[in-house]
Amino acid sequence: MYATDFAQVGANIQERLQLKGMSQQELANALSISKQVMNKIIKGYKAINVNELARIASILGVTTDSLLLMSDDVNSANDRDLSFMGKISDIETRQKVDLIRSAIDEIHLLEELVNG
């Protein structure tokens, strides 16, 4: 199930920051925004658009879907997205699928920039 508010998206971003060992300041720098604006995004006080979400996902090395899911679903996002294929248990296959997802996210970002 997808998040219904920006606070959930912000919580997902914060969780991914922690998993990556990255600070809010580092993400803010990568996005060329202030730490205060980044903090507002994390707390759900600032709405973000699709382009911003795609940039954040790219920087964090995750899919935009993983940032949009309800918190209980974040860890199982990859498995549910591929439920028609069954569960992926092989690490090498998981890495290949994640690489493909990252490439697709980057293509979406490039399309947005070109069509912007």
Side-chain angles (χ1 to χ4, degrees):
M1 173 180 263
Y2 286 106
T4 56
D5 59 36
F6 291 110
Q8 181 63 63
V9 175
N12 292 344
I13 293 169
Q14 180 63 42
E15 180 180 347
R16 296 303 176 153
L17 279 171
Q18 291 171 344
L19 290 173
K20 192 167 176 97
M22 191 174 187
S23 71
Q24 286 185 23
Q25 183 66 59
E26 291 170 319
L27 181 56
N29 292 345
L31 293 168
S32 299
I33 61 174
S34 70
K35 183 173 188 252
Q36 291 79 9
V37 171
M38 188 72 249
N39 191 266
K40 287 181 182 181
I41 291 171
I42 298 292
K43 290 187 177 197
Y45 299 152
K46 182 190 179 302
I48 57 175
N49 63 39
V50 174
N51 290 330
E52 292 168 325
L53 184 69
R55 286 181 62 210
I56 291 168
S58 177
I59 292 165
L60 295 175
V62 298
T63 65
T64 53
D65 269 1
S66 69
L67 298 178
L68 292 171
L69 292 172
M70 295 297 290
S71 61
D72 294 336
D73 296 337
V74 172
N75 294 328
S76 64
N78 292 333
D79 295 335
R80 192 177 63 249
D81 289 346
L82 299 172
S83 60
F84 67 94
M85 292 176 54
K87 188 169 183 161
I88 297 174
S89 57
D90 177 72
I91 293 173
E92 183 179 344
T93 302
R94 166 75 66 202
Q95 290 172 337
K96 288 178 182 179
V97 169
D98 288 342
L99 181 63
I100 291 169
R101 283 190 174 135
S102 294
I104 290 170
D105 284 344
E106 288 180 28
I107 290 168
H108 286 288
L109 178 61
L110 289 172
E111 286 176 340
E112 289 293 327
L113 292 172
V114 169
N115 297 326

